[in-house]
Amino acid sequence: MSSKFKISEVKALEIFDSRGYPTVKAVVRTEGGYTGSFSVPAGASKGKEEAVELRDGGKQLRGRRVRRAVATIKELIAPLIIGVDVRKQEEIDKIMIEADGSPNKSNFGGNSILAVSIACAKAAAEATDQPLYRYLGGVSANLLPVPLLNVINGGLHAGNELSIQEFMIIPADFQTFKDAILAAAEVYHNLRDYLVSKYGVSAKNVGDEGGFAPPMSKTTEALDALLKAVEESGYGGKVYLGIDCAASSFYDQKSRKYKIDGKELDTNDLMEFYIELMRDYPLVSIEDPFEEEDFAAFAELTRRIGDRIQLVGDDFFVTNPKRLKKGIEMGAGNSLLLKVNQIGTLTEALEAARIASKAGYSVIVSHRSGETIDAAISDIAVGIGCGQIKAGAIARGERIAKYNRLLEIEEELGKSASFGGKRVLRIG
Ligand code: PGA
Ligand code: ZN
């Protein structure tokens, strides 16, 4: 066998993410001179059971430096995988998982492992002379995802009083990704004008994911603003709405109540609240509606409205095959949010996607609130053909990188490209 695929070098360095905190970048090189790199994103509203991020601790940059993760890649991971065929993704990931030896990657760090895992996939794509989406998905990887754009930020992502973290526009009723993203951009600009006219110029400040962070405090106020902007843009009935509640962030463990919209709701009240929202707005996707351990409530909501709306598990499932299987068994949710850094290897993330699809769950590939300009998730979304991607608003370089990459892929695919459209979202 030619040795051009053999890993010859693994480098790592500390770079910054979009919130100004350090993160890890790994670069993998093969004997044939092919390279791939990956820069790891970071969440703010993290699920409790996510893979552990290895950070230095201490005072500097609030303990968030990643020199230990960089050293782990160079000193511990590199010697284990040098000489391995870079196309053997499962083998490489298994080597790292076993050497780490913990259930949640706490020894090497999910960040160290993931950086190398995806860098290998990119190097393998290079070495086999194909784009990453084609390397991952083969000849049938032609489906461009419907974008879910978080255009009003609340919760832990913004300095306003909105309890719900993300208010999304979902341009689903279009023929191409390009038409969909153009419509989303139109809505985004009209939303800004509307917010400025109603709340003053500071309402156009943006939060971590590029959505506006207006001084609102009520869920319906945000949804009304989205609806207005959609209608103003002439896309009523074509651009739908979605929310990511990230409900663990407004759940009070002590009182077992949800603090939302200035009220304290119990689980049943909150369920009724969502059902009402669904009646009043063109909502087609609700993510993490309850705190992440309440699978029973998630299952109950799914029984009640799951045939008409996408119910997404993010913190619930943390892209973890085990937690996802539990959800599937209980009938909790009908959709998986796939975040590669929640689980820490490409192999396990792809396994989670396979399990979800087999159970009839939809899959949405997702960014994190702390990102870099790395656009691998766009290729992953097309590679697995899941039909949906969540990558923030149409603003801020680290968000735009993902959408721009999708525009490139659609152009490259030409006539063979297709678009997720309404069918991936159970609409109509
Ligand atoms: P995070 O938020 O990246 O801060 O965890 C994104 C989300 O909850 O979907
Ligand atoms: Zn979420």
Side-chain angles (χ1 to χ4, degrees), residues 200-260:
V201 73
S202 71
K204 71 174 184 179
N205 293 344
V206 299
D208 289 355
E209 297 189 348
F212 303 114
M216 293 175 170
S217 56
K218 275 207 147 83
T219 303
T220 50
E221 208 178 344
L223 290 171
D224 285 337
L226 294 195
L227 208 50
K228 256 211 150 58
V230 166
E231 273 158 16
E232 174 81 10
S233 312
Y235 290 120
K238 290 173 85 69
V239 173
Y240 298 84
L241 308 185
I243 50 177
D244 176 7
C245 311
S248 293
S249 67
F250 56 88
Y251 179 66
D252 181 37
Q253 293 281 355
K254 258 204 191 133
S255 65
R256 299 184 168 194
K257 297 245 159 103
Y258 292 91
K259 297 191 168 169
I260 176 167

Short mmCIF file of all heavy atoms in Angstrom, two decimals, residues 200-260:
data_model
loop_
_atom_site.label_atom_id
_atom_site.label_comp_id
_atom_site.label_asym_id
_atom_site.label_seq_id
_atom_site.Cartn_x
_atom_site.Cartn_y
_atom_site.Cartn_z
N GLY A 200 -35.56 51.41 19.95
CA GLY A 200 -34.41 52.32 19.91
C GLY A 200 -33.20 51.63 19.32
O GLY A 200 -33.18 50.42 19.10
N VAL A 201 -32.18 52.44 19.09
CA VAL A 201 -31.05 51.97 18.28
C VAL A 201 -30.25 50.86 18.96
O VAL A 201 -29.64 50.00 18.30
CB VAL A 201 -30.17 53.18 17.87
CG1 VAL A 201 -29.36 53.73 19.03
CG2 VAL A 201 -29.28 52.82 16.69
N SER A 202 -30.28 50.80 20.29
CA SER A 202 -29.49 49.77 20.97
C SER A 202 -30.06 48.38 20.71
O SER A 202 -29.39 47.36 20.94
CB SER A 202 -29.41 50.02 22.47
OG SER A 202 -30.66 49.78 23.06
N ALA A 203 -31.29 48.31 20.21
CA ALA A 203 -31.90 47.00 19.93
C ALA A 203 -31.22 46.28 18.78
O ALA A 203 -31.43 45.09 18.58
CB ALA A 203 -33.39 47.17 19.63
N LYS A 204 -30.38 46.99 18.03
CA LYS A 204 -29.71 46.27 16.93
C LYS A 204 -28.37 45.65 17.35
O LYS A 204 -27.69 45.03 16.54
CB LYS A 204 -29.56 47.16 15.71
CG LYS A 204 -28.57 48.26 15.83
CD LYS A 204 -28.45 48.95 14.47
CE LYS A 204 -27.38 50.03 14.52
NZ LYS A 204 -27.22 50.69 13.23
N ASN A 205 -28.03 45.81 18.63
CA ASN A 205 -26.84 45.09 19.12
C ASN A 205 -27.09 43.59 19.02
O ASN A 205 -28.22 43.14 19.21
CB ASN A 205 -26.57 45.44 20.59
CG ASN A 205 -26.15 46.88 20.74
OD1 ASN A 205 -25.77 47.53 19.77
ND2 ASN A 205 -26.23 47.39 21.97
N VAL A 206 -26.02 42.85 18.73
CA VAL A 206 -26.23 41.42 18.57
C VAL A 206 -25.61 40.61 19.70
O VAL A 206 -24.65 41.03 20.35
CB VAL A 206 -25.72 40.90 17.20
CG1 VAL A 206 -26.45 41.58 16.05
CG2 VAL A 206 -24.22 41.04 17.07
N GLY A 207 -26.17 39.42 19.90
CA GLY A 207 -25.67 38.50 20.93
C GLY A 207 -24.64 37.53 20.35
O GLY A 207 -24.17 37.71 19.22
N ASP A 208 -24.32 36.51 21.11
CA ASP A 208 -23.22 35.60 20.76
C ASP A 208 -23.40 34.92 19.41
O ASP A 208 -22.41 34.55 18.77
CB ASP A 208 -23.09 34.51 21.83
CG ASP A 208 -22.54 35.06 23.13
OD1 ASP A 208 -22.18 36.25 23.17
OD2 ASP A 208 -22.46 34.29 24.11
N GLU A 209 -24.63 34.68 19.01
CA GLU A 209 -24.84 33.95 17.75
C GLU A 209 -25.30 34.87 16.62
O GLU A 209 -25.84 34.42 15.62
CB GLU A 209 -25.84 32.81 17.97
CG GLU A 209 -25.30 31.78 18.96
CD GLU A 209 -26.13 30.52 19.08
OE1 GLU A 209 -27.27 30.50 18.56
OE2 GLU A 209 -25.65 29.57 19.68
N GLY A 210 -25.10 36.18 16.81
CA GLY A 210 -25.40 37.12 15.73
C GLY A 210 -26.84 37.57 15.67
O GLY A 210 -27.20 38.41 14.85
N GLY A 211 -27.68 37.00 16.52
CA GLY A 211 -29.07 37.47 16.57
C GLY A 211 -29.14 38.76 17.37
O GLY A 211 -28.23 39.06 18.17
N PHE A 212 -30.21 39.51 17.18
CA PHE A 212 -30.37 40.74 17.94
C PHE A 212 -30.71 40.40 19.39
O PHE A 212 -31.24 39.33 19.68
CB PHE A 212 -31.47 41.61 17.32
CG PHE A 212 -31.16 41.92 15.88
CD1 PHE A 212 -31.96 41.43 14.85
CD2 PHE A 212 -30.05 42.67 15.55
CE1 PHE A 212 -31.66 41.69 13.52
CE2 PHE A 212 -29.74 42.95 14.21
CZ PHE A 212 -30.55 42.45 13.20
N ALA A 213 -30.35 41.32 20.28
CA ALA A 213 -30.62 41.09 21.69
C ALA A 213 -31.40 42.28 22.24
O ALA A 213 -30.90 43.04 23.07
CB ALA A 213 -29.30 40.88 22.44
N PRO A 214 -32.64 42.46 21.75
CA PRO A 214 -33.41 43.65 22.15
C PRO A 214 -33.87 43.55 23.60
O PRO A 214 -33.93 42.45 24.15
CB PRO A 214 -34.63 43.59 21.21
CG PRO A 214 -34.76 42.16 20.84
CD PRO A 214 -33.38 41.58 20.85
N PRO A 215 -34.16 44.72 24.20
CA PRO A 215 -34.57 44.71 25.61
C PRO A 215 -36.02 44.23 25.76
O PRO A 215 -36.90 44.99 26.12
CB PRO A 215 -34.42 46.17 26.02
CG PRO A 215 -34.62 46.93 24.77
CD PRO A 215 -34.11 46.07 23.65
N MET A 216 -36.23 42.96 25.48
CA MET A 216 -37.57 42.37 25.60
C MET A 216 -37.57 41.47 26.82
O MET A 216 -36.53 41.02 27.28
CB MET A 216 -37.84 41.46 24.41
CG MET A 216 -37.96 42.13 23.10
SD MET A 216 -38.14 40.83 21.85
CE MET A 216 -38.56 41.84 20.45
N SER A 217 -38.78 41.15 27.30
CA SER A 217 -38.82 40.21 28.41
C SER A 217 -39.82 39.09 28.20
O SER A 217 -39.86 38.14 28.96
CB SER A 217 -39.14 40.96 29.71
OG SER A 217 -40.34 41.66 29.55
N LYS A 218 -40.62 39.18 27.14
CA LYS A 218 -41.65 38.17 26.96
C LYS A 218 -41.46 37.34 25.69
O LYS A 218 -41.13 37.88 24.63
CB LYS A 218 -43.02 38.86 26.86
CG LYS A 218 -43.65 39.15 28.20
CD LYS A 218 -45.17 39.17 28.01
CE LYS A 218 -45.89 38.67 29.21
NZ LYS A 218 -46.09 39.65 30.24
N THR A 219 -41.72 36.06 25.82
CA THR A 219 -41.60 35.15 24.69
C THR A 219 -42.45 35.61 23.50
O THR A 219 -41.97 35.63 22.36
CB THR A 219 -42.08 33.74 25.13
OG1 THR A 219 -41.30 33.35 26.26
CG2 THR A 219 -41.93 32.73 24.03
N THR A 220 -43.70 35.98 23.77
CA THR A 220 -44.59 36.35 22.66
C THR A 220 -44.14 37.65 21.99
O THR A 220 -44.37 37.85 20.80
CB THR A 220 -46.05 36.51 23.14
OG1 THR A 220 -46.06 37.37 24.28
CG2 THR A 220 -46.65 35.17 23.52
N GLU A 221 -43.49 38.50 22.77
CA GLU A 221 -42.98 39.76 22.19
C GLU A 221 -41.93 39.44 21.11
O GLU A 221 -41.92 40.04 20.03
CB GLU A 221 -42.32 40.54 23.34
CG GLU A 221 -42.31 42.03 23.21
CD GLU A 221 -41.65 42.66 24.46
OE1 GLU A 221 -41.49 41.99 25.51
OE2 GLU A 221 -41.29 43.84 24.35
N ALA A 222 -41.08 38.48 21.40
CA ALA A 222 -40.04 38.09 20.44
C ALA A 222 -40.67 37.41 19.23
O ALA A 222 -40.31 37.70 18.07
CB ALA A 222 -39.03 37.17 21.11
N LEU A 223 -41.63 36.52 19.46
CA LEU A 223 -42.26 35.82 18.34
C LEU A 223 -43.07 36.78 17.47
O LEU A 223 -43.08 36.66 16.23
CB LEU A 223 -43.15 34.68 18.86
CG LEU A 223 -42.38 33.50 19.46
CD1 LEU A 223 -43.34 32.52 20.15
CD2 LEU A 223 -41.55 32.77 18.41
N ASP A 224 -43.72 37.75 18.11
CA ASP A 224 -44.46 38.76 17.34
C ASP A 224 -43.52 39.54 16.42
O ASP A 224 -43.85 39.83 15.27
CB ASP A 224 -45.16 39.76 18.28
CG ASP A 224 -46.40 39.15 18.93
OD1 ASP A 224 -46.96 38.19 18.36
OD2 ASP A 224 -46.79 39.61 20.03
N ALA A 225 -42.34 39.89 16.96
CA ALA A 225 -41.37 40.64 16.16
C ALA A 225 -40.92 39.82 14.94
O ALA A 225 -40.83 40.34 13.82
CB ALA A 225 -40.16 41.02 17.01
N LEU A 226 -40.69 38.52 15.17
CA LEU A 226 -40.28 37.66 14.05
C LEU A 226 -41.37 37.58 12.99
O LEU A 226 -41.11 37.70 11.79
CB LEU A 226 -39.97 36.24 14.53
CG LEU A 226 -38.78 36.02 15.45
CD1 LEU A 226 -38.43 34.53 15.49
CD2 LEU A 226 -37.56 36.80 14.99
N LEU A 227 -42.59 37.40 13.48
CA LEU A 227 -43.72 37.28 12.56
C LEU A 227 -43.88 38.55 11.72
O LEU A 227 -44.08 38.49 10.50
CB LEU A 227 -44.99 37.03 13.38
CG LEU A 227 -46.10 36.26 12.73
CD1 LEU A 227 -45.57 34.96 12.11
CD2 LEU A 227 -47.19 35.92 13.76
N LYS A 228 -43.74 39.69 12.37
CA LYS A 228 -43.84 40.98 11.67
C LYS A 228 -42.78 41.07 10.58
O LYS A 228 -43.07 41.46 9.44
CB LYS A 228 -43.61 42.12 12.68
CG LYS A 228 -44.88 42.82 13.07
CD LYS A 228 -44.62 44.29 13.39
CE LYS A 228 -45.84 45.11 13.06
NZ LYS A 228 -47.05 44.68 13.77
N ALA A 229 -41.55 40.72 10.95
CA ALA A 229 -40.45 40.83 9.99
C ALA A 229 -40.65 39.87 8.82
O ALA A 229 -40.35 40.21 7.67
CB ALA A 229 -39.12 40.55 10.69
N VAL A 230 -41.15 38.68 9.11
CA VAL A 230 -41.40 37.71 8.04
C VAL A 230 -42.47 38.25 7.10
O VAL A 230 -42.32 38.21 5.86
CB VAL A 230 -41.85 36.34 8.64
CG1 VAL A 230 -42.43 35.43 7.55
CG2 VAL A 230 -40.69 35.65 9.34
N GLU A 231 -43.54 38.78 7.67
CA GLU A 231 -44.64 39.28 6.82
C GLU A 231 -44.22 40.51 6.02
O GLU A 231 -44.49 40.61 4.83
CB GLU A 231 -45.88 39.52 7.68
CG GLU A 231 -46.67 38.22 7.78
CD GLU A 231 -47.60 38.14 8.96
OE1 GLU A 231 -47.89 39.20 9.56
OE2 GLU A 231 -48.04 37.02 9.29
N GLU A 232 -43.53 41.40 6.70
CA GLU A 232 -42.99 42.61 6.06
C GLU A 232 -42.13 42.24 4.83
O GLU A 232 -42.12 42.93 3.83
CB GLU A 232 -42.15 43.35 7.11
CG GLU A 232 -41.39 44.55 6.63
CD GLU A 232 -42.29 45.79 6.55
OE1 GLU A 232 -43.45 45.73 7.04
OE2 GLU A 232 -41.82 46.78 6.01
N SER A 233 -41.43 41.12 4.95
CA SER A 233 -40.53 40.69 3.87
C SER A 233 -41.28 39.96 2.76
O SER A 233 -40.67 39.58 1.75
CB SER A 233 -39.45 39.77 4.43
OG SER A 233 -38.85 40.31 5.57
N GLY A 234 -42.56 39.71 2.98
CA GLY A 234 -43.34 39.00 1.96
C GLY A 234 -43.15 37.49 1.98
O GLY A 234 -43.44 36.81 0.99
N TYR A 235 -42.69 36.95 3.11
CA TYR A 235 -42.45 35.51 3.18
C TYR A 235 -43.40 34.78 4.12
O TYR A 235 -43.08 33.68 4.58
CB TYR A 235 -40.99 35.23 3.57
CG TYR A 235 -40.01 35.59 2.48
CD1 TYR A 235 -39.02 36.54 2.72
CD2 TYR A 235 -40.09 34.99 1.23
CE1 TYR A 235 -38.11 36.87 1.71
CE2 TYR A 235 -39.20 35.32 0.23
CZ TYR A 235 -38.21 36.27 0.47
OH TYR A 235 -37.34 36.58 -0.51
N GLY A 236 -44.54 35.39 4.39
CA GLY A 236 -45.54 34.69 5.22
C GLY A 236 -45.88 33.35 4.60
O GLY A 236 -46.07 33.25 3.38
N GLY A 237 -45.88 32.29 5.41
CA GLY A 237 -46.19 30.95 4.89
C GLY A 237 -45.00 30.25 4.24
O GLY A 237 -45.10 29.09 3.86
N LYS A 238 -43.89 30.95 4.12
CA LYS A 238 -42.70 30.31 3.53
C LYS A 238 -41.54 30.23 4.53
O LYS A 238 -40.73 29.31 4.50
CB LYS A 238 -42.23 31.10 2.30
CG LYS A 238 -43.20 30.98 1.12
CD LYS A 238 -42.83 31.89 -0.01
CE LYS A 238 -41.80 31.31 -0.95
NZ LYS A 238 -42.27 30.19 -1.77
N VAL A 239 -41.48 31.24 5.41
CA VAL A 239 -40.46 31.23 6.46
C VAL A 239 -41.17 30.94 7.77
O VAL A 239 -42.08 31.67 8.18
CB VAL A 239 -39.72 32.59 6.53
CG1 VAL A 239 -38.78 32.63 7.74
CG2 VAL A 239 -38.95 32.86 5.25
N TYR A 240 -40.79 29.85 8.43
CA TYR A 240 -41.43 29.41 9.67
C TYR A 240 -40.60 29.83 10.87
O TYR A 240 -39.51 30.39 10.72
CB TYR A 240 -41.61 27.90 9.64
CG TYR A 240 -42.50 27.44 8.50
CD1 TYR A 240 -41.96 27.23 7.23
CD2 TYR A 240 -43.86 27.24 8.69
CE1 TYR A 240 -42.76 26.83 6.17
CE2 TYR A 240 -44.68 26.84 7.64
CZ TYR A 240 -44.12 26.63 6.38
OH TYR A 240 -44.91 26.23 5.34
N LEU A 241 -41.12 29.54 12.06
CA LEU A 241 -40.41 29.93 13.28
C LEU A 241 -40.04 28.71 14.12
O LEU A 241 -40.69 27.66 14.06
CB LEU A 241 -41.29 30.86 14.13
CG LEU A 241 -41.88 32.09 13.43
CD1 LEU A 241 -42.63 32.96 14.45
CD2 LEU A 241 -40.81 32.91 12.72
N GLY A 242 -39.00 28.90 14.93
CA GLY A 242 -38.59 27.84 15.86
C GLY A 242 -38.03 28.47 17.11
O GLY A 242 -37.62 29.64 17.10
N ILE A 243 -38.03 27.70 18.21
CA ILE A 243 -37.40 28.20 19.43
C ILE A 243 -36.50 27.13 20.04
O ILE A 243 -36.78 25.94 19.91
CB ILE A 243 -38.43 28.66 20.52
CG1 ILE A 243 -39.50 27.58 20.78
CG2 ILE A 243 -39.09 29.97 20.14
CD1 ILE A 243 -40.49 27.94 21.90
N ASP A 244 -35.41 27.59 20.64
CA ASP A 244 -34.62 26.71 21.52
C ASP A 244 -34.78 27.26 22.92
O ASP A 244 -34.26 28.33 23.24
CB ASP A 244 -33.14 26.70 21.10
CG ASP A 244 -32.30 25.86 22.07
OD1 ASP A 244 -32.89 25.20 22.96
OD2 ASP A 244 -31.06 25.86 21.92
N CYS A 245 -35.53 26.53 23.74
CA CYS A 245 -35.83 27.01 25.10
C CYS A 245 -34.60 26.91 26.00
O CYS A 245 -34.39 27.75 26.86
CB CYS A 245 -36.97 26.20 25.70
SG CYS A 245 -38.37 26.05 24.58
N ALA A 246 -33.76 25.88 25.77
CA ALA A 246 -32.66 25.62 26.70
C ALA A 246 -33.18 25.73 28.13
O ALA A 246 -32.65 26.44 28.96
CB ALA A 246 -31.49 26.58 26.44
N ALA A 247 -34.26 24.96 28.39
CA ALA A 247 -35.05 25.16 29.60
C ALA A 247 -34.29 24.90 30.91
O ALA A 247 -34.68 25.42 31.96
CB ALA A 247 -36.31 24.30 29.55
N SER A 248 -33.21 24.12 30.84
CA SER A 248 -32.43 23.92 32.08
C SER A 248 -31.95 25.25 32.62
O SER A 248 -31.76 25.40 33.83
CB SER A 248 -31.20 23.03 31.80
OG SER A 248 -31.62 21.73 31.48
N SER A 249 -31.76 26.24 31.72
CA SER A 249 -31.20 27.52 32.16
C SER A 249 -32.22 28.40 32.89
O SER A 249 -31.84 29.35 33.56
CB SER A 249 -30.58 28.27 30.98
OG SER A 249 -31.59 28.67 30.09
N PHE A 250 -33.53 28.08 32.80
CA PHE A 250 -34.49 28.85 33.60
C PHE A 250 -35.29 27.96 34.55
O PHE A 250 -36.35 28.32 35.04
CB PHE A 250 -35.38 29.77 32.74
CG PHE A 250 -36.18 29.09 31.65
CD1 PHE A 250 -37.45 28.57 31.91
CD2 PHE A 250 -35.68 29.02 30.36
CE1 PHE A 250 -38.20 27.97 30.91
CE2 PHE A 250 -36.41 28.41 29.34
CZ PHE A 250 -37.67 27.88 29.62
N TYR A 251 -34.75 26.77 34.79
CA TYR A 251 -35.38 25.83 35.74
C TYR A 251 -34.76 26.01 37.10
O TYR A 251 -33.53 26.07 37.23
CB TYR A 251 -35.16 24.40 35.25
CG TYR A 251 -35.75 23.34 36.15
CD1 TYR A 251 -37.13 23.22 36.32
CD2 TYR A 251 -34.92 22.43 36.83
CE1 TYR A 251 -37.67 22.23 37.13
CE2 TYR A 251 -35.46 21.44 37.64
CZ TYR A 251 -36.83 21.35 37.79
OH TYR A 251 -37.35 20.37 38.60
N ASP A 252 -35.60 26.11 38.11
CA ASP A 252 -35.09 26.25 39.47
C ASP A 252 -35.20 24.89 40.17
O ASP A 252 -36.30 24.41 40.45
CB ASP A 252 -35.92 27.32 40.19
CG ASP A 252 -35.40 27.53 41.61
OD1 ASP A 252 -34.18 27.47 41.80
OD2 ASP A 252 -36.23 27.71 42.53
N GLN A 253 -34.04 24.29 40.41
CA GLN A 253 -34.00 22.94 41.01
C GLN A 253 -34.75 22.88 42.33
O GLN A 253 -35.42 21.88 42.63
CB GLN A 253 -32.53 22.52 41.27
CG GLN A 253 -31.71 22.31 40.02
CD GLN A 253 -31.99 20.96 39.36
OE1 GLN A 253 -32.73 20.12 39.86
NE2 GLN A 253 -31.41 20.76 38.17
N LYS A 254 -34.62 23.95 43.12
CA LYS A 254 -35.20 23.92 44.47
C LYS A 254 -36.73 23.89 44.43
O LYS A 254 -37.36 23.03 45.03
CB LYS A 254 -34.75 25.18 45.22
CG LYS A 254 -33.63 24.91 46.19
CD LYS A 254 -33.63 25.96 47.28
CE LYS A 254 -32.36 25.85 48.10
NZ LYS A 254 -31.74 27.16 48.29
N SER A 255 -37.29 24.88 43.71
CA SER A 255 -38.76 24.97 43.70
C SER A 255 -39.36 24.07 42.62
O SER A 255 -40.57 23.89 42.57
CB SER A 255 -39.18 26.42 43.45
OG SER A 255 -38.78 26.81 42.15
N ARG A 256 -38.50 23.49 41.77
CA ARG A 256 -38.94 22.68 40.62
C ARG A 256 -39.90 23.44 39.71
O ARG A 256 -40.84 22.89 39.17
CB ARG A 256 -39.60 21.39 41.10
CG ARG A 256 -38.66 20.53 41.88
CD ARG A 256 -39.33 19.28 42.23
NE ARG A 256 -38.38 18.32 42.74
CZ ARG A 256 -38.64 17.03 42.87
NH1 ARG A 256 -39.78 16.56 42.49
NH2 ARG A 256 -37.73 16.23 43.40
N LYS A 257 -39.62 24.73 39.60
CA LYS A 257 -40.45 25.56 38.72
C LYS A 257 -39.58 26.18 37.63
O LYS A 257 -38.36 26.32 37.79
CB LYS A 257 -41.11 26.67 39.54
CG LYS A 257 -42.07 26.15 40.61
CD LYS A 257 -43.48 26.58 40.29
CE LYS A 257 -44.50 25.73 40.97
NZ LYS A 257 -45.12 26.29 42.11
N TYR A 258 -40.26 26.57 36.55
CA TYR A 258 -39.57 27.25 35.46
C TYR A 258 -39.85 28.75 35.57
O TYR A 258 -41.01 29.16 35.63
CB TYR A 258 -40.08 26.72 34.12
CG TYR A 258 -39.66 25.29 33.87
CD1 TYR A 258 -40.48 24.23 34.26
CD2 TYR A 258 -38.45 25.00 33.26
CE1 TYR A 258 -40.09 22.91 34.03
CE2 TYR A 258 -38.05 23.69 33.02
CZ TYR A 258 -38.88 22.65 33.41
OH TYR A 258 -38.49 21.35 33.19
N LYS A 259 -38.78 29.54 35.61
CA LYS A 259 -38.96 30.99 35.70
C LYS A 259 -38.94 31.58 34.30
O LYS A 259 -37.88 31.72 33.69
CB LYS A 259 -37.85 31.60 36.55
CG LYS A 259 -37.90 31.08 37.98
CD LYS A 259 -37.00 31.84 38.91
CE LYS A 259 -37.36 31.44 40.34
NZ LYS A 259 -36.42 31.89 41.34
N ILE A 260 -40.13 31.89 33.83
CA ILE A 260 -40.25 32.35 32.45
C ILE A 260 -41.30 33.45 32.35
O ILE A 260 -42.35 33.36 32.97
CB ILE A 260 -40.56 31.15 31.51
CG1 ILE A 260 -40.79 31.62 30.06
CG2 ILE A 260 -41.72 30.29 31.99
CD1 ILE A 260 -40.79 30.50 29.04
#
